Amino acid sequence: MGRRVAREQVASAPAARRVRSLALLAGVVLASSAVGWAGWNTWRSARTARAVAALRPVADEVAPEHVERRAALEVADRLLRDFPTAPEALYVRARILLRHGYGDEAVASLRAALAVEPGLAQAYELLAIEAMARGDHAAAVPLVERAIELDPESASGGLLLGESLNNLGRPHEAVTVLERFIAAHPRVAAAYIQLGQARGALQEPARAKEAHLAALGIEPDNGPATFGVAQACERLGARDLADHYRQRHLDLVAAQRRVGQRRIREGAAAGEAGGALAAACDLASRVYAANDRPAEAARLRARGGGARGGGRRAPHPPGGGGGGGGGDRGGGGAAAASLVLAASPPPPPPRPPGGRRGGRPAPPAPGGGASEPAPSAGSRR
């Protein structure tokens, strides 16, 4: 009996050692994971701190006599001061800066937003718009592709991507992207114009004409679409029809010029400056509302309403809208960009586990207390 117990003890000894070894290994792995996660968080925090530290106020650079412009940039500076690590505030700040010509600082603000929240699809879209404005469509394409990857339901990513592919001389890919976009958004004239340009580059004048006519069905006074129909008719041998649309395009350009001259005579620049301040206040108010600061949000909305009412709204020139100005033959990078910026309010603040971020109270549901709800674009994965 005693010998049997001894044999069992001996047989069980290796198993016990294995259990102890596995337990020790598990402890090492868990400790390593904890150290690695802490190291990752430390690195990310340091990167975010560097990105935010590189940002600078800009309003003091504007001459005091430019009251409205300086006031809009002061709103941007205030966002940086009050929410230096909030991605939605950094994004809105970039929107304001781009509108007032501070492209480099806007890019820095967007990079800082992405350092805090790498899944912010709208930041990638805005970086792509800035790249397109510089004519760097090769840089814009991967930025838009990343935005679409993060937010497949984006209402603007497909249009931006199609336009960039067109400008890179990749019409086959542009057609695929634009047709998919049009299937989801059939009332965007700029998309049909870009599709018509792609079809023209593929030597398909009949289909190019069809696309440009579709754009005119949405915006009858669209200059680039009118010019596109004229070009397609010329290639199809329909000279009389081409002459008709070419003259129509010239008439639109002349009308646009008259409107522009009248705007200058009537001091439309002041009204547009007031509109820029109103837009800055409106966007910023949503950030404050979403971060449980309703009093500041209300003050900004009231200030924006006053700025909007203080100047006359500049008339919209013929040939404008989704396809660009009547004198712009191609629709340009501003076509998609204007649609994106007009339709995309700030993204909602991210909600980390535990309901707090950076020591601030957890924000309410997107759009809480704001004048408009936050969009679904910019989803985080």
Side-chain angles (χ1 to χ4, degrees):
M1 180 69 179
R3 285 195 299 271
R4 188 170 69 247
V5 171
R7 283 198 301 270
E8 290 175 355
Q9 290 175 342
V10 171
S12 65
R17 283 197 297 271
R18 285 196 298 272
V19 170
R20 287 196 298 272
S21 298
L22 289 173
L24 179 60
L25 179 61
V28 171
V29 170
L30 289 173
S32 300
S33 299
V35 171
W37 184 250
W40 162 256
N41 283 335
T42 301
W43 175 83
R44 183 173 173 182
S45 297
R47 185 184 66 163
T48 300
R50 286 194 300 270
V52 171
L55 304 179
R56 59 184 179 84
V58 297
D60 287 344
E61 299 176 8
V62 179
E65 59 265 26
H66 300 298
V67 178
E68 302 280 6
R69 183 165 185 257
R70 186 183 177 102
L73 291 170
E74 284 172 351
V75 173
D77 288 351
R78 183 181 171 189
L79 285 169
L80 178 61
R81 183 180 67 248
D82 290 351
F83 306 106
T85 59
E88 72 279 7
L90 294 168
Y91 168 83
V92 166
R93 177 176 183 266
R95 290 268 301 264
I96 298 170
L97 292 171
L98 279 176
R99 182 161 187 169
H100 292 278
Y102 285 85
D104 292 343
E105 183 66 17
V107 168
S109 193
L110 291 168
R111 296 294 184 193
L114 289 171
V116 179
E117 177 51 64
L120 191 60
Q122 288 168 310
Y124 284 104
E125 286 186 355
L126 206 53
L127 284 170
I129 290 171
E130 195 277 336
M132 292 169 72
R134 290 185 282 105
D136 192 353
H137 295 278
V141 166
L143 290 168
V144 181
E145 288 176 336
R146 177 60 176 155
I148 294 173
E149 178 186 347
L150 290 167
D151 181 20
E153 302 303 318
S154 169
S156 50
L159 181 56
L160 289 171
L161 182 57
E163 186 168 345
S164 289
L165 291 169
N166 257 345
N167 283 287
L168 287 174
R170 295 158 62 179
H172 282 100
E173 297 168 75
V175 165
T176 301
V177 169
L178 290 164
E179 286 184 338
R180 188 184 307 123
F181 177 88
I182 288 170
H185 309 280
R187 298 293 300 171
V188 179
Y192 291 98
I193 293 170
Q194 291 298 324
L195 180 60
Q197 291 177 355
R199 292 294 186 189
L202 293 171
Q203 304 302 315
E204 298 176 356
R207 301 182 78 174
K209 177 185 173 184
E210 178 184 348
H212 287 299
L213 286 173
L216 289 177
I218 300 168
E219 296 180 6
D221 291 338
N222 190 293
T226 305
F227 186 85
V229 175
Q231 278 190 319
C233 289
E234 186 75 31
R235 292 173 182 173
L236 290 168
R239 298 293 175 83
D240 291 344
L241 202 54
D243 289 343
H244 167 78
Y245 279 100
R246 192 175 292 111
Q247 184 58 51
R248 171 66 176 154
H249 177 256
L250 292 174
D251 292 343
L252 288 171
V253 172
Q256 183 187 31
R257 186 179 181 195
R258 287 194 297 272
V259 169
Q261 290 173 339
R262 185 171 70 249
R263 289 167 63 190
I264 293 172
R265 289 196 302 270
E266 295 176 353
E272 289 174 352
L277 174 57
C281 290
D282 177 61
L283 286 168
S285 72
R286 304 183 210 186
V287 175
Y288 282 90
N291 285 278
D292 272 340
R293 295 177 64 169
E296 290 95 330
R299 280 195 291 271
L300 282 165
R301 284 196 296 272
R303 186 181 184 190
R308 187 177 288 107
R312 285 174 295 179
R313 192 177 184 88
H316 191 71
D328 180 0
R329 292 170 47 171
S338 62
L339 288 172
V340 175
L341 296 179
S344 57
R351 288 177 177 272
R356 296 181 69 85
R357 180 190 62 211
R360 298 203 309 269
S371 58
E372 295 180 29
S376 60
S379 58
R380 293 160 188 81
R381 309 235 167 152

